[in-house]
Amino acid sequence: MEATNAYAQDHGHDHPTGLMRWITTTNHKDIGTLYLWFSFIMLLAGGCLALLIRAELFQPGLQIVTPEFFNQLTTLHGLIMVFGAIMPAMVGFANWQVPMMIGAPDMAFPRMNNWSFWLLPVAAIMLVSSFFVPGGASAGGWTMYPPLFLQGGISNDMTIFAVHILGISSIMGAINIVTTILNMRAPGMTLMKMPLFVWTWLITAYLLIAVMPVLAGTVTMLLTDRHFGTNFFNAAGGGDPVMFQHIFWFFGHPEVYIMILPAFGIISQIIPAFARKPLFGYASMVYATASIAILSFIVWAHHMFTTGMPTSAQLFFMYATMLIAVPTGVKVFNWVATMWRGSMTFETPMLFAIGFVCLFTIGGFTGLVCAITPVDIQIQDTYYVVAHFHYVLVSGSLYAIFAGVYFWLPKWTGHMYNEKLGKLHFWLSTIFFNVLFFPMHFLGLAGMPRRIPDYALQFADFNALATVGAFGFGLSQLILLVGVIKCIKGGEKAAGRTWEGADSLEWTHLPSPPPYHSFVTPPVVK
Amino acid sequence: MGALAALMSMAAWAEESKYNLPTPQSEVAQEIFDLHILIMWVCVGIFIVVFGAMFYSIWKHRKSLGHKAAHFHENTLVEVIWTVIPFAILIAMAIPSTKAILNMRDASNPDMTIKVTGYQWKWEYDYRTEGIKLMSALSTPRDQIDGSAKKGENYLLEVDNAMVVPAGKKVRLLLTANDVIHSWWVPAFGIKQDAIPGYIKDAWFKANTPGTYRGQCAELCGKDHGFMPIVVEVKSADDYAKWVADQKVKSAAVTMDPNKTYSADELKAQGEKVYAANCAACHQANGAGLPPAFPAITGSIIATGDKAAHIAIVMNGKPGTAMAAFGKQLNDVDLAAVVTYERNALGNKTGDLVQPADIKALRK
């Protein structure tokens, strides 16, 4: 990242240095770097909240926090991880990689790119500082369900505004990505020749544009219910509290895929590179991604099976949700078929990619279990669901982010990362991840609700185990920090084509690190 | 990972294990249990096949063994097969699931009906035909929660008044809530239904055998969401009839005469009980509250100022906060008693008395 600075000088125009470089930058690489660091800081912040939660749950009884503060922790942990850690990291990858992978010099709207990043710290500060206002932070869950969310103090308004700002940032980022991909591809790069990461981001960006306004709308309705006498969600005034859930999850389910589709893209770049074999079923991967995106709009009420919706609606949403297993299965089969009869090596990116395929699939299977409405009645709002979505979001999205960071660090910095540290990071993360989240399946089945600060005695053993896993997993992430800093500072020089099997444009046409403006003259793609 | 998944399913064999759903005590719960086992095994099977292939490949097709990469990258037949097979498996899963849903949602022809109302943070059970009304709140003592006393066997899963139902009868519940969304869940019966303010949703269960079954509120409902258990006592038909008769006698005996004028001590004594059951969760047993969300009673403007304003806020609640309207929950005597208690205890000494007749006058 420092290394790219050297290239900043060789273009003959002025670049501010120091802090102003980062504040005023319109360069896709700088902005990508900002997104990734922001995301890492938020990951640590959200992780600290999670460790406080797990510390309280180490033993039955209330030891460390009060029940109100516990609810604030779970609420902010969710909001920070979803909107602060996972989504910005994916946008960071898009910024760094999309222009290089399609043979473009930069993003289509560089100034808007700058603004969409710099809105994020504003929203993050608003969210985090809400812990210190009277009454403390929002405590109604990251899903903000009314009427509970209508109770409570000014922090709920801060949360609403933070969500607005994050939404604006995401929409601008998405418009930028769509425009870049559709208009700035190198000659000869047809849509069906784009690297899969670019495809997944194109589809994700459309999802963002479709659903972020829906979220903004519904939180605005919360705001007017709170302060301006409307009754959207108040039955006494003719509203319906469950309507919020419908609107929220109409956003919320595509949101799940917003967080996982770019992850699929990263994994689809890495597995072929380390299997030294082209991705199996490229076209079916594209179609599967699009199918998942389309299905994501018609499954939202599977988050609401216990609200008492009509039986016919329960049946529809169950069938539609089960259907998602088909394109998701196709993806997993394609990855396995890509490895099949390859010539594999197992550097850190590949380890995280394989970890992703295994553990994400466990999350996919528990997702199928949750899709079955009668079974979901038992496990809705229990630790089973907590286990499920951490298997898809941590060992899914986050593992893909780790894999991508190790995969592209040599390209970005021009230095090899420390392979030993990378492998240590992978193995410790994977062991502790499973110690942390696997027992939660059992807790949920045995009847432990989520979002409770204290629990009955029969849940004690697995909770203690999960807490041990949580601290192990949390501390393991510091290895990533050390590895990345060491890699930025120096290390063995990385070749332009760092990985033997990697064949997208950034590897075949650009040195490591790449020049400040990736492709000043577009490459010709055959 | 495969071993881990296998371990999970091995454990699933053992009934009433800590690795699986609780032993079903109703037909619906049994259906859910069986469905879960079926789907678990299907998933484990697919996992073993797919990841067996992947780990074989990882084992054999590695560069360090000198394996040369093949160059195939598509095969339409294979791709069609692995799209169609999962589809077929899903249809096979959907059939029993659909049957279970249709059964689960059929609340017609119940043997009895109980109206369940969720409050922050207790449940009210209203037996419409029997004329019995119970408030059911956590009975675990505070000192067990903060660790100064040893935790009992049913820590956090015990209540003062359990719901009582007869075995083998179809019990229909009509669920609603007074403030925020709650969710009534008893795992052994396979029933979980959100209680939504302003709406009435129905659900049903039929418990097979007498016994005590426990559950918890399953929807985040504020500060004491984790302290809002559900206990259902299932009794034989005879024992249930006896319980109904007892309840009627008891409620006649306990109910204080709303037309009487009570002394300060009588009101304070009753008020202390009402306060402990309804107010102490937020305003704390000593009246200190948890400001700013839950203000103190001690020395507060409301509890030491205008008496009418105090009664009004207790009866009507305060919109936009967690302060509920107790006018609908409590009778005249209890309302009079608790307001008197708050104005003359917890460090307050206004000397004001509120009589049931005052409340009665306000209700008109």
Side-chain angles (χ1 to χ4, degrees):
Chain A
M1 324 222 161
E2 285 309 310
T4 58
N5 212 2
Y7 289 88
Q9 310 309 324
D10 65 12
H11 277 272
H13 35 103
D14 279 340
H15 291 285
T17 51
L19 186 63
M20 284 315 282
R21 169 188 171 198
W22 297 103
I23 290 175
T24 61
T25 183
T26 55
N27 179 276
H28 74 102
K29 299 191 183 74
D30 285 355
I31 293 172
T33 303
L34 287 170
Y35 265 108
L36 288 167
W37 276 115
F38 173 81
S39 150
F40 190 73
I41 292 165
M42 286 290 113
L43 180 74
L44 294 185
C48 289
L49 303 185
L51 291 185
L52 267 172
I53 293 170
R54 284 313 324 170
E56 175 56 54
L57 292 174
F58 182 57
Q59 285 184 324
L62 291 175
Q63 290 90 18
I64 301 173
V65 299
T66 60
E68 313 82 275
F69 187 58
F70 184 89
N71 289 345
Q72 297 171 25
L73 291 174
T74 53
T75 303
L76 269 282
H77 168 72
L79 287 167
I80 287 176
M81 288 306 201
V82 168
F83 293 106
I86 301 292
M87 290 173 70
M90 294 303 183
V91 183
F93 278 109
N95 260 290
W96 257 103
Q97 291 306 127
V98 166
M100 294 202 291
M101 288 175 134
I102 62 173
D106 205 308
M107 297 290 282
F109 303 117
R111 282 165 198 257
M112 187 165 86
N113 205 8
N114 172 291
W115 196 32
S116 46
F117 171 76
W118 281 108
L119 284 175
L120 291 182
V122 177
I125 289 167
M126 191 136 48
L127 268 183
V128 174
S129 62
S130 71
F131 273 113
F132 306 102
V133 301
S138 283
W142 84 277
T143 48
M144 302 178 276
Y145 281 8
L148 183 60
F149 201 77
L150 304 177
Q151 300 178 352
I154 189 168
S155 59
N156 284 0
D157 303 313
M158 295 169 78
T159 301
I160 289 170
F161 283 122
V163 167
H164 275 142
I165 295 170
L166 292 163
I168 293 169
S169 161
S170 292
I171 291 169
M172 289 194 301
I175 290 171
N176 212 341
I177 289 166
V178 169
T179 315
T180 308
I181 295 173
L182 293 185
N183 289 317
M184 296 175 67
R185 278 169 290 132
M189 178 163 286
T190 59
L191 287 175
M192 289 309 274
K193 279 188 187 162
M194 297 194 306
L196 210 77
F197 176 73
V198 180
W199 254 116
T200 54
W201 243 116
L202 179 64
I203 292 167
T204 303
Y206 276 114
L207 285 182
L208 275 169
I209 294 168
V211 300
M212 291 312 287
V214 177
L215 175 67
T218 199
V219 297
T220 307
M221 287 153 92
L222 281 178
L223 188 73
T224 60
D225 268 15
R226 281 171 61 79
H227 296 295
F228 305 111
T230 59
N231 287 302
F232 291 113
F233 309 126
N234 175 11
D240 181 355
V242 177
M243 183 173 71
F244 175 86
Q245 301 182 22
H246 282 292
I247 306 173
F248 180 86
W249 287 113
F250 185 82
F251 146 80
H253 205 78
E255 168 69 16
V256 172
Y257 297 122
I258 287 165
M259 291 189 279
I260 201 66
L261 293 183
F264 289 165
I266 294 171
I267 299 303
S268 302
Q269 299 302 125
I270 292 174
I271 289 179
F274 292 91
R276 294 168 179 76
K277 190 165 156 280
L279 182 68
F280 187 88
Y282 173 89
S284 70
M285 285 299 234
V286 173
Y287 300 139
T289 309
S291 313
I292 293 173
I294 291 163
L295 284 174
S296 77
F297 285 103
I298 56 164
V299 298
W300 76 87
H302 69 214
H303 297 268
M304 304 162 54
F305 280 147
T306 62
T307 53
M309 67 180 88
T311 310
S312 52
Q314 285 190 333
L315 288 171
F316 170 80
F317 285 107
M318 176 177 80
Y319 299 147
T321 306
M322 290 170 80
L323 269 185
I324 291 181
V326 175
T328 315
V330 165
K331 286 191 161 284
V332 172
F333 299 144
N334 281 346
W335 288 321
V336 174
T338 306
M339 292 185 217
W340 189 256
R341 292 179 53 207
S343 175
M344 278 185 274
T345 52
F346 301 94
E347 291 88 344
T348 309
M350 183 63 164
L351 289 179
F352 272 109
I354 292 172
F356 170 97
V357 176
C358 285
L359 298 173
F360 173 81
T361 303
I362 293 181
F365 281 137
T366 55
L368 187 59
V369 173
C370 293
I372 308 294
T373 310
V375 180
D376 185 68
I377 294 293
Q378 284 286 34
I379 56 191
Q380 157 90 30
D381 269 317
T382 69
Y383 263 85
Y384 192 92
V385 174
V386 175
H388 158 68
F389 66 68
H390 283 95
Y391 265 83
V392 292
L393 282 177
V394 178
S395 60
S397 303
L398 189 63
Y399 264 40
I401 291 166
F402 291 159
V405 165
Y406 285 110
F407 185 54
W408 281 302
L409 257 184
K411 172 58 59 186
W412 297 341
T413 63
H415 304 133
M416 282 308 289
Y417 61 86
N418 183 321
E419 193 64 60
K420 276 203 181 118
L421 276 182
K423 286 188 169 150
L424 185 69
H425 177 218
F426 169 75
W427 285 110
L428 288 180
S429 291
T430 302
I431 291 165
F432 284 120
F433 170 82
N434 284 292
V435 172
L436 163 55
F437 289 112
F438 207 81
M440 290 187 185
H441 294 112
F442 303 134
L443 284 174
L445 288 173
M448 180 168 164
R450 64 192 279 212
R451 293 167 164 170
I452 58 173
D454 191 6
Y455 48 83
L457 300 180
Q458 69 261 35
F459 306 130
D461 298 350
F462 285 136
N463 270 297
L465 187 62
T467 298
V468 171
F471 279 84
F473 185 77
L475 293 173
S476 303
Q477 304 322 309
L478 299 177
I479 303 172
L480 173 68
L481 181 64
V482 172
V484 169
I485 290 175
K486 279 178 71 137
C487 182
I488 292 170
K489 291 217 156 146
E492 189 195 329
K493 287 266 171 271
R497 190 168 185 169
T498 314
W499 311 110
E500 196 185 350
D503 62 356
S504 44
L505 290 179
E506 83 275 28
W507 302 113
T508 52
H509 284 64
L510 294 173
S512 302
Y516 199 59
H517 297 288
S518 307
F519 288 97
V520 181
T521 44
V524 177
V525 180
K526 277 170 230 135
Chain B
M1 286 334 110
L4 220 52
L7 183 76
M8 181 175 173
S9 44
M10 292 306 282
W13 283 117
E15 282 219 46
E16 199 60 272
S17 78
K18 60 201 273 191
Y19 302 100
N20 201 351
L21 293 164
T23 310
Q25 298 292 342
S26 76
E27 189 188 302
V28 169
Q30 186 67 50
E31 278 180 325
I32 294 173
F33 190 94
D34 296 342
L35 261 178
H36 174 253
I37 292 287
L38 170 75
I39 292 160
M40 263 294 309
W41 278 111
V42 171
C43 291
V44 169
I46 299 172
F47 193 95
I48 290 172
V49 172
V50 175
F51 290 95
M54 190 181 87
F55 281 107
Y56 174 83
S57 175
I58 287 174
W59 194 246
K60 293 286 184 189
H61 306 154
R62 43 171 73 211
K63 197 182 176 191
S64 56
L65 297 178
H67 194 273
K68 292 273 180 288
H71 280 280
F72 64 90
H73 56 85
E74 55 190 4
N75 184 327
T76 311
L77 179 67
V78 170
E79 291 175 60
V80 168
I81 289 173
W82 71 37
T83 309
V84 170
I85 290 181
F87 197 77
I89 295 174
L90 290 177
I91 291 174
M93 282 182 182
I95 293 167
S97 308
T98 305
K99 279 189 195 143
I101 295 179
L102 295 177
N103 184 25
M104 185 180 81
R105 293 304 299 276
D106 178 13
S108 59
N109 301 318
D111 297 314
M112 62 182 288
T113 298
I114 303 172
K115 182 176 173 233
V116 177
T117 309
Y119 293 91
Q120 283 174 319
W121 294 276
K122 52 192 179 279
W123 295 99
E124 181 189 74
Y125 303 125
D126 185 356
Y127 294 64
R128 309 294 276 191
T129 36
E130 290 80 355
I132 298 169
K133 214 175 196 183
L134 304 171
M135 270 293 182
S136 178
L138 178 74
S139 63
T140 301
R142 208 67 215 176
D143 54 3
Q144 288 190 16
I145 295 171
D146 66 29
S148 52
K150 192 176 175 305
K151 294 177 176 40
E153 187 194 354
N154 294 312
Y155 176 69
L156 297 187
L157 295 177
E158 51 200 346
V159 296
D160 48 4
N161 298 303
M163 173 191 272
V164 179
V165 296
K169 298 282 184 201
K170 184 169 184 176
V171 182
R172 180 175 62 150
L173 303 181
L174 299 175
L175 297 110
T176 188
N178 189 54
D179 32 49
V180 301
I181 301 175
H182 302 273
S183 190
W184 199 87
W185 177 35
V186 177
F189 302 148
I191 177 175
K192 183 189 286 154
Q193 172 60 53
D194 292 359
I196 297 158
Y199 289 79
I200 291 185
K201 304 284 180 177
D202 67 354
W204 68 277
F205 66 92
K206 185 153 74 174
N208 299 336
T209 35
T212 304
Y213 304 101
R214 298 169 199 277
Q216 285 179 266
C217 176
E219 180 66 57
L220 178 62
C221 56
K223 180 172 83 70
D224 281 356
H225 165 55
F227 304 92
M228 194 175 160
I230 294 151
V231 179
V232 180
E233 280 175 24
V234 178
K235 291 185 186 292
S236 67
D238 290 350
D239 289 349
Y240 175 73
K242 237 180 272 164
W243 177 82
V244 171
D246 283 356
Q247 284 299 308
K248 287 184 174 161
V249 174
K250 213 164 117 190
S251 68
V254 167
T255 306
M256 294 168 79
D257 181 2
N259 299 314
K260 204 181 133 188
T261 302
Y262 291 93
S263 74
D265 287 342
E266 283 171 324
L267 286 168
K268 276 167 69 179
Q270 176 65 11
E272 187 171 4
K273 285 186 222 155
V274 178
Y275 183 86
N278 296 282
C279 318
C282 296
H283 296 295
Q284 304 296 294
N286 61 6
L290 294 165
F294 308 109
I297 301 289
T298 308
S300 83
I301 299 168
I302 288 167
T304 58
D306 180 29
K307 191 166 79 176
H310 187 180
I311 298 171
I313 201 167
V314 172
M315 287 181 74
N316 306 323
K318 186 174 178 192
T321 70
M323 180 64 196
F326 287 95
K328 285 178 284 179
Q329 296 184 45
L330 301 176
N331 62 33
D332 296 354
V333 179
D334 286 350
L335 284 166
V338 77
V339 174
T340 306
Y341 176 75
E342 288 178 353
R343 299 180 76 78
N344 297 289
L346 307 170
N348 296 336
K349 290 191 186 66
T350 60
D352 297 335
L353 292 191
V354 181
Q355 293 295 342
D358 302 334
I359 306 288
K360 199 175 173 187
L362 284 170
R363 286 198 195 268
K364 284 178 183 150

